[in-house]
Amino acid sequence: MKALLLLFATFAVVLVPTSLVWLLGRRARVPRWMRVVFLLAGWLTVCVGWALSQRAQPGLFPDTSPCYGTHSSPVSQYFPPDSFCLHADGERRTVNGPNAKAVFWTAAHTTVAIAIAAAWARRRRQA
């Protein structure tokens, strides 16, 4: 039963939006390479953003949290995605490095740029 529930959740969360974006792009006659790049960059943005915002949370293994043993509590920020350790003196220190944030912003900007380029390509094709 768990496997069936996991399969349905995967279908609802990943496959339905991906197929809808693919079909809408095909109907709008967006080139295939733009659809592929848009979907890959979009899902990379979602996955990296989720990972960045949840990194300080203890989850299943509290001993692996970066805030463990520092007498601080984890705080998540969802946009822009980041995780912090809130210390007793009120200072928030991030647990994510600049490289991970650069991956998120690069993927997000690529997603937006491809969407704009697809609109321009469609407009140019219609003219």
Side-chain angles (χ1 to χ4, degrees), residues 13-95:
V13 173
V14 176
L15 295 178
V16 170
T18 301
S19 62
L20 286 176
V21 167
W22 186 265
L23 292 173
L24 286 173
R26 191 173 80 185
R27 182 176 178 162
R29 296 187 182 133
V30 174
R32 179 176 290 153
W33 70 269
M34 283 187 175
R35 288 180 277 165
V36 169
V37 171
F38 179 81
L39 286 170
L40 290 176
W43 282 115
L44 182 66
T45 302
V46 169
C47 292
V48 171
W50 177 81
L52 287 174
S53 66
Q54 297 302 311
R55 188 159 178 206
Q57 299 300 326
L60 294 175
F61 306 105
D63 300 349
T64 62
S65 173
C67 300
Y68 180 77
T70 60
H71 302 292
S72 59
S73 59
V75 177
S76 293
Q77 175 180 320
Y78 295 106
F79 193 82
D82 207 354
S83 289
F84 304 95
C85 290
L86 181 63
H87 294 273
D89 60 357
E91 182 183 3
R92 288 188 337 173
R93 293 188 206 131
T94 184
V95 297

